[in-house]
Amino acid sequence: MVQQYSVLINGKLEKPGKWIDVVNPANEQVIGQVPDCGQEELDRAVAAARSAFKTWKNVPIDERRAVIQMISAAIKANADELMRLLTSEQGKPHAQAAGEIHGAAAMAAAQSTLTLEDEINEDSDTRLSRTRRVPVGVVGGIVPWNFPVMMAVQKIVPALLSGCTMVLKPSPFTPLATLRIVELIADEVPAGVLNVITGGDDLGPLITSHPDIDKITFTGSTATGKRVMESASKDLKRITLELGGNDASIVLPDADVKKVAEQLFWSSFTNAGQICVAAKRIYIHEDIYDELSAAIAEYARHVKVGDGAEQGTAVGPIQNKKQYERVLDLIQDAKDNGYKFLLGGDHDPSIPGYYVPITILDNPPEDARIVAEEQFGPVMPLMKFSTVEEAIQRANASDYGLAGAVWTGNPEEGVKVAEQLETGTVWVNEYLHLSPFAPFAGHKQSGFGAEYGKEGLLEFTYPQVITVKREKAMA
Ligand code: NAD
């Protein structure tokens, strides 16, 4: 029998009785079962969070910080076990899984140092006005399947640090490593402060419409994000949404072809392309297009696609069947339209597992589905441009606005281009770097609000202004 995991409600690990199977995308085998929670478990989790909030909000921030540091240390101390579990449920190769686990521990430790000071608005003879930050209350956190541990941690940390309590829901596709972390820390987090429940896609709407939840922090697709916003609007819950992207990279003619080919490859294919901030459209100046596209394809030919638990695998499977079929559909559409493939395109359906070969398209048109839509898989379109203005215009012609990158031999010029991109994050000559101290915020339909940094933390608070009238001192 496969291992059955527990959820955490009011400080107790529970196995409510109905189960969801969790599948290893590398071989389609069931590797664990997690509770299929519904309204009853959610109501108990929310009640526990509400009750714990009364105390937790008044716990000194240094004590709340210590709980987060304990969570960070527990993840780090168990990194090897968690890394293996993450690979088996998510598909990413061991090295990338280790990167996520250690990254989550480091991110939590770094963000635990953030502070929430009062600000003085006026300190005069007649008035003292001060803004303090008060936690919004009970937070519902909803997590996707591509970086399940990192995304869970980046929701737990600001919620708990700010003095909020939380009910967190991992993705039904990738809940195992998160539930294992929860098991490791359950005894050391005060009861009710953090509740973690799993369930199917019907549990999300129950959370976003729950009358006793004050804020939702959601990471997932733009389509679901809109549903979350609509549902949360009924009682004006606060929301933070981190949504989809269709990030463009612009490669200027002075870029060092040999150096950037490998970096461009990994900016698209890390985690099999299943990253919100992966480069999903690559615009290359016509002067270097042929040379660079050939260099990328040549590098890609030597990258091994396979089971992330096998040595040498650098690109794993797609995480779940639905996404696998969607990526195959985009490849089929490219074939049907006669677009040119530099690499890949053909998969072997007889092999178990959701494997998509590394696929690179050669200059498909701007209205191709593979260019216009977020592919979220190991398929990269390379496109040719003539002028920088044209590249900027094409990069910005999207409802998304998550991130982007500029590659150049002249960083100052790169910054000028970066400043014209309509996205919340732009890298010059690097990719996928997120700082624990910088806001990560999608523009346009890529999000609402910010995560990370002080701005991310403030999203879990209300400003409260206390004004005290002073009598003017008599002369
Ligand atoms: P998804 O929107 O399908 O699901 C995300 C989470 O929402 C899951 O836990 C799911 O169970 C839950 N959910 C589903 N329907 C819901 C509803 N109606 N109400 C509330 N919750 C609901 O996303 P996914 O397929 O898990 O993740 C892939 C998407 O996430 C991509 O579009 C990707 O770009 C995006 N993403 C964005 C970021 C970011 O920070 N901007 C990070 C990672 C992933």
Side-chain angles (χ1 to χ4, degrees), residues 142-146 151 169-172 201 204-205 208 218-221 224 227-228 242-245 276 280 374 376 402 440 446:
I142 300 178
V143 178
W145 46 257
N146 61 338
M151 303 287 155
K169 187 193 87 63
S171 166
D201 276 350
T208 59
F218 169 87
T219 301
S221 63
T224 310
R227 275 180 230 127
V228 170
E242 294 295 351
L243 308 178
C276 52
K280 292 171 183 149
E374 181 187 37
F376 224 62
L402 196 57
F440 175 54
S446 284

Short mmCIF file of all heavy atoms in Angstrom, two decimals, residues 142-146 151 169-172 201 204-205 208 218-221 224 227-228 242-245 276 280 374 376 402 440 446, ligand 1:
data_model
loop_
_atom_site.label_atom_id
_atom_site.label_comp_id
_atom_site.label_asym_id
_atom_site.label_seq_id
_atom_site.Cartn_x
_atom_site.Cartn_y
_atom_site.Cartn_z
N ILE A 142 -3.31 29.44 -1.70
CA ILE A 142 -3.57 28.42 -2.74
C ILE A 142 -2.34 28.34 -3.64
O ILE A 142 -1.88 29.34 -4.17
CB ILE A 142 -4.84 28.78 -3.53
CG1 ILE A 142 -6.05 28.84 -2.58
CG2 ILE A 142 -5.09 27.75 -4.64
CD1 ILE A 142 -7.36 29.24 -3.24
N VAL A 143 -1.84 27.11 -3.81
CA VAL A 143 -0.50 26.88 -4.39
C VAL A 143 -0.61 26.03 -5.66
O VAL A 143 -1.41 25.10 -5.71
CB VAL A 143 0.37 26.16 -3.32
CG1 VAL A 143 1.75 25.84 -3.86
CG2 VAL A 143 0.48 26.99 -2.06
N PRO A 144 0.21 26.31 -6.68
CA PRO A 144 0.20 25.50 -7.92
C PRO A 144 1.18 24.32 -7.84
O PRO A 144 1.80 24.09 -6.81
CB PRO A 144 0.66 26.49 -8.97
CG PRO A 144 1.65 27.35 -8.26
CD PRO A 144 1.17 27.43 -6.82
N TRP A 145 1.34 23.63 -8.97
CA TRP A 145 2.11 22.38 -8.96
C TRP A 145 3.53 22.50 -9.51
O TRP A 145 4.26 21.52 -9.55
CB TRP A 145 1.37 21.29 -9.74
CG TRP A 145 0.81 21.70 -11.09
CD1 TRP A 145 -0.50 21.98 -11.35
CD2 TRP A 145 1.51 21.90 -12.32
NE1 TRP A 145 -0.67 22.35 -12.67
CE2 TRP A 145 0.57 22.30 -13.29
CE3 TRP A 145 2.85 21.79 -12.70
CZ2 TRP A 145 0.91 22.58 -14.62
CZ3 TRP A 145 3.20 22.08 -14.02
CH2 TRP A 145 2.23 22.47 -14.95
N ASN A 146 3.93 23.67 -9.98
CA ASN A 146 5.25 23.72 -10.64
C ASN A 146 6.41 23.90 -9.66
O ASN A 146 7.47 23.31 -9.86
CB ASN A 146 5.26 24.78 -11.74
CG ASN A 146 5.01 26.16 -11.21
OD1 ASN A 146 4.42 26.35 -10.13
ND2 ASN A 146 5.43 27.16 -11.96
N MET A 151 6.51 27.79 -3.46
CA MET A 151 5.30 28.62 -3.45
C MET A 151 4.58 28.54 -2.11
O MET A 151 4.01 29.52 -1.64
CB MET A 151 4.33 28.18 -4.55
CG MET A 151 4.89 28.19 -5.93
SD MET A 151 5.08 29.85 -6.56
CE MET A 151 6.36 29.57 -7.74
N LYS A 169 -3.61 25.52 0.99
CA LYS A 169 -4.01 24.37 0.17
C LYS A 169 -2.97 24.12 -0.92
O LYS A 169 -2.86 24.90 -1.87
CB LYS A 169 -5.36 24.64 -0.51
CG LYS A 169 -5.89 23.42 -1.23
CD LYS A 169 -7.05 23.75 -2.15
CE LYS A 169 -6.60 24.18 -3.53
NZ LYS A 169 -5.88 23.15 -4.29
N PRO A 170 -2.20 23.03 -0.82
CA PRO A 170 -1.30 22.69 -1.93
C PRO A 170 -2.10 22.24 -3.15
O PRO A 170 -3.29 21.94 -3.06
CB PRO A 170 -0.49 21.50 -1.37
CG PRO A 170 -0.76 21.46 0.10
CD PRO A 170 -2.10 22.09 0.30
N SER A 171 -1.43 22.16 -4.30
CA SER A 171 -2.07 21.60 -5.49
C SER A 171 -2.33 20.11 -5.27
O SER A 171 -1.48 19.41 -4.71
CB SER A 171 -1.17 21.79 -6.70
OG SER A 171 -1.63 20.96 -7.76
N PRO A 172 -3.47 19.61 -5.72
CA PRO A 172 -3.72 18.16 -5.58
C PRO A 172 -2.70 17.32 -6.35
O PRO A 172 -2.52 16.14 -6.05
CB PRO A 172 -5.13 17.97 -6.17
CG PRO A 172 -5.44 19.23 -6.91
CD PRO A 172 -4.60 20.31 -6.34
N ASP A 201 -9.90 20.21 -6.93
CA ASP A 201 -10.06 21.58 -7.39
C ASP A 201 -11.32 22.25 -6.83
O ASP A 201 -11.46 23.47 -6.90
CB ASP A 201 -10.06 21.63 -8.93
CG ASP A 201 -8.64 21.67 -9.49
OD1 ASP A 201 -7.69 21.84 -8.69
OD2 ASP A 201 -8.48 21.51 -10.71
N GLY A 204 -10.60 24.77 -3.66
CA GLY A 204 -10.17 26.17 -3.88
C GLY A 204 -11.33 27.15 -3.79
O GLY A 204 -11.28 28.12 -3.01
N PRO A 205 -12.42 26.91 -4.57
CA PRO A 205 -13.54 27.85 -4.50
C PRO A 205 -14.18 27.93 -3.10
O PRO A 205 -14.70 28.98 -2.72
CB PRO A 205 -14.54 27.27 -5.51
CG PRO A 205 -13.71 26.48 -6.46
CD PRO A 205 -12.56 25.95 -5.67
N THR A 208 -11.92 30.43 -1.35
CA THR A 208 -12.04 31.83 -1.79
C THR A 208 -13.39 32.45 -1.45
O THR A 208 -13.52 33.67 -1.44
CB THR A 208 -11.80 31.97 -3.32
OG1 THR A 208 -12.76 31.16 -4.01
CG2 THR A 208 -10.40 31.53 -3.70
N PHE A 218 -2.85 33.74 -3.82
CA PHE A 218 -3.04 32.69 -4.82
C PHE A 218 -1.92 32.72 -5.84
O PHE A 218 -1.57 33.79 -6.36
CB PHE A 218 -4.39 32.90 -5.53
CG PHE A 218 -4.58 32.05 -6.75
CD1 PHE A 218 -5.10 30.76 -6.64
CD2 PHE A 218 -4.23 32.51 -8.03
CE1 PHE A 218 -5.26 29.96 -7.77
CE2 PHE A 218 -4.39 31.72 -9.15
CZ PHE A 218 -4.91 30.44 -9.02
N THR A 219 -1.37 31.58 -6.18
CA THR A 219 -0.48 31.48 -7.33
C THR A 219 -1.02 30.40 -8.25
O THR A 219 -1.31 29.28 -7.81
CB THR A 219 0.96 31.12 -6.91
OG1 THR A 219 1.43 32.14 -6.03
CG2 THR A 219 1.89 31.06 -8.11
N GLY A 220 -1.17 30.73 -9.51
CA GLY A 220 -1.71 29.77 -10.47
C GLY A 220 -1.96 30.46 -11.79
O GLY A 220 -1.36 31.51 -12.09
N SER A 221 -2.85 29.90 -12.57
CA SER A 221 -3.07 30.44 -13.91
C SER A 221 -3.91 31.72 -13.86
O SER A 221 -4.66 31.95 -12.90
CB SER A 221 -3.78 29.39 -14.76
OG SER A 221 -5.04 29.11 -14.20
N THR A 224 -7.72 30.93 -13.59
CA THR A 224 -8.20 30.64 -12.23
C THR A 224 -8.11 31.90 -11.36
O THR A 224 -8.98 32.16 -10.53
CB THR A 224 -7.38 29.50 -11.59
OG1 THR A 224 -7.33 28.41 -12.50
CG2 THR A 224 -8.01 29.02 -10.31
N ARG A 227 -11.15 33.87 -11.50
CA ARG A 227 -12.22 33.26 -10.69
C ARG A 227 -12.01 33.57 -9.21
O ARG A 227 -12.96 33.85 -8.48
CB ARG A 227 -12.25 31.74 -10.90
CG ARG A 227 -13.06 31.36 -12.11
CD ARG A 227 -13.07 29.84 -12.30
NE ARG A 227 -12.72 29.59 -13.68
CZ ARG A 227 -11.76 28.79 -14.12
NH1 ARG A 227 -11.07 28.07 -13.29
NH2 ARG A 227 -11.51 28.66 -15.39
N VAL A 228 -10.76 33.52 -8.79
CA VAL A 228 -10.45 33.82 -7.39
C VAL A 228 -10.85 35.26 -7.06
O VAL A 228 -11.49 35.54 -6.04
CB VAL A 228 -8.94 33.61 -7.12
CG1 VAL A 228 -8.53 34.14 -5.76
CG2 VAL A 228 -8.58 32.12 -7.24
N GLU A 242 -0.55 35.85 -8.05
CA GLU A 242 0.63 35.68 -8.90
C GLU A 242 0.22 34.73 -10.01
O GLU A 242 -0.03 33.55 -9.76
CB GLU A 242 1.80 35.09 -8.10
CG GLU A 242 2.35 36.01 -7.03
CD GLU A 242 2.98 37.29 -7.55
OE1 GLU A 242 3.17 37.42 -8.77
OE2 GLU A 242 3.25 38.17 -6.73
N LEU A 243 0.14 35.23 -11.23
CA LEU A 243 -0.53 34.46 -12.29
C LEU A 243 0.42 34.09 -13.43
O LEU A 243 1.62 34.05 -13.26
CB LEU A 243 -1.74 35.26 -12.78
CG LEU A 243 -2.70 35.73 -11.66
CD1 LEU A 243 -3.84 36.56 -12.22
CD2 LEU A 243 -3.22 34.55 -10.86
N GLY A 244 -0.15 33.84 -14.58
CA GLY A 244 0.64 33.34 -15.71
C GLY A 244 1.50 34.41 -16.36
O GLY A 244 1.43 35.59 -16.03
N GLY A 245 2.31 33.97 -17.29
CA GLY A 245 3.17 34.91 -18.02
C GLY A 245 3.44 34.39 -19.42
O GLY A 245 3.26 33.19 -19.70
N CYS A 276 6.57 30.12 -14.21
CA CYS A 276 5.81 31.31 -14.61
C CYS A 276 6.73 32.31 -15.31
O CYS A 276 6.31 32.96 -16.26
CB CYS A 276 5.12 31.93 -13.40
SG CYS A 276 6.22 32.24 -12.03
N LYS A 280 9.39 32.50 -22.65
CA LYS A 280 8.43 31.74 -23.46
C LYS A 280 8.40 32.20 -24.91
O LYS A 280 7.77 31.57 -25.76
CB LYS A 280 7.05 31.82 -22.81
CG LYS A 280 7.08 31.05 -21.48
CD LYS A 280 5.86 31.20 -20.62
CE LYS A 280 6.08 30.44 -19.33
NZ LYS A 280 5.41 31.02 -18.19
N GLU A 374 0.64 31.04 -23.34
CA GLU A 374 1.65 30.54 -22.39
C GLU A 374 1.74 29.03 -22.56
O GLU A 374 0.79 28.30 -22.29
CB GLU A 374 1.21 30.87 -20.96
CG GLU A 374 2.22 30.39 -19.94
CD GLU A 374 1.76 30.54 -18.49
OE1 GLU A 374 0.57 30.34 -18.20
OE2 GLU A 374 2.62 30.83 -17.65
N PHE A 376 4.02 26.75 -21.11
CA PHE A 376 4.28 26.04 -19.85
C PHE A 376 4.75 24.61 -20.12
O PHE A 376 4.22 23.63 -19.59
CB PHE A 376 3.01 26.05 -18.98
CG PHE A 376 3.30 26.37 -17.54
CD1 PHE A 376 3.85 27.59 -17.19
CD2 PHE A 376 3.02 25.46 -16.53
CE1 PHE A 376 4.12 27.90 -15.87
CE2 PHE A 376 3.30 25.76 -15.20
CZ PHE A 376 3.83 26.98 -14.87
N LEU A 402 4.51 39.58 -16.77
CA LEU A 402 5.18 39.03 -15.60
C LEU A 402 6.67 39.41 -15.55
O LEU A 402 7.11 40.13 -14.67
CB LEU A 402 5.00 37.51 -15.56
CG LEU A 402 5.30 36.84 -14.22
CD1 LEU A 402 4.46 37.43 -13.10
CD2 LEU A 402 5.07 35.34 -14.31
N PHE A 440 8.04 40.99 -6.22
CA PHE A 440 7.78 40.22 -7.44
C PHE A 440 6.30 40.43 -7.75
O PHE A 440 5.43 39.95 -7.02
CB PHE A 440 8.10 38.75 -7.18
CG PHE A 440 7.76 37.84 -8.32
CD1 PHE A 440 8.25 38.08 -9.59
CD2 PHE A 440 6.94 36.74 -8.13
CE1 PHE A 440 7.93 37.24 -10.66
CE2 PHE A 440 6.62 35.89 -9.19
CZ PHE A 440 7.11 36.15 -10.45
N SER A 446 -0.92 39.42 -15.37
CA SER A 446 -0.03 38.46 -14.71
C SER A 446 -0.11 38.52 -13.19
O SER A 446 0.59 37.77 -12.52
CB SER A 446 1.42 38.69 -15.14
OG SER A 446 1.61 38.18 -16.45
P1 NAD B 1 -4.21 26.48 -11.62
O1 NAD B 1 -4.74 27.86 -11.71
O2 NAD B 1 -4.88 25.39 -12.38
O3 NAD B 1 -4.23 25.96 -10.10
C1 NAD B 1 -3.58 26.67 -9.05
C2 NAD B 1 -4.22 26.27 -7.73
O4 NAD B 1 -5.58 26.75 -7.71
C3 NAD B 1 -4.29 24.78 -7.45
O5 NAD B 1 -4.04 24.58 -6.05
C4 NAD B 1 -5.75 24.45 -7.78
O6 NAD B 1 -6.23 23.33 -7.06
C5 NAD B 1 -6.47 25.70 -7.33
N1 NAD B 1 -7.75 25.98 -7.98
C6 NAD B 1 -8.25 25.47 -9.13
N2 NAD B 1 -9.46 26.03 -9.41
C7 NAD B 1 -9.70 26.94 -8.44
C8 NAD B 1 -10.77 27.87 -8.20
N3 NAD B 1 -11.81 27.99 -9.02
N4 NAD B 1 -10.68 28.67 -7.12
C9 NAD B 1 -9.60 28.60 -6.29
N5 NAD B 1 -8.58 27.73 -6.46
C10 NAD B 1 -8.62 26.92 -7.52
O7 NAD B 1 -2.67 26.62 -11.96
P2 NAD B 1 -1.62 25.44 -12.14
O8 NAD B 1 -1.98 24.74 -13.42
O9 NAD B 1 -1.50 24.68 -10.87
O10 NAD B 1 -0.25 26.27 -12.35
C11 NAD B 1 0.19 26.70 -13.60
C12 NAD B 1 -0.09 28.17 -13.77
O11 NAD B 1 0.39 28.89 -12.65
C13 NAD B 1 0.62 28.79 -14.96
O12 NAD B 1 -0.24 29.65 -15.65
C14 NAD B 1 1.76 29.58 -14.34
O13 NAD B 1 2.25 30.63 -15.11
C15 NAD B 1 1.14 30.02 -13.07
N6 NAD B 1 2.16 30.32 -12.08
C16 NAD B 1 2.39 31.63 -11.75
C17 NAD B 1 3.38 31.96 -10.85
C18 NAD B 1 3.66 33.38 -10.46
O14 NAD B 1 4.29 33.60 -9.44
N7 NAD B 1 3.21 34.37 -11.20
C19 NAD B 1 4.14 30.95 -10.27
C20 NAD B 1 3.88 29.63 -10.63
C21 NAD B 1 2.87 29.34 -11.53
#
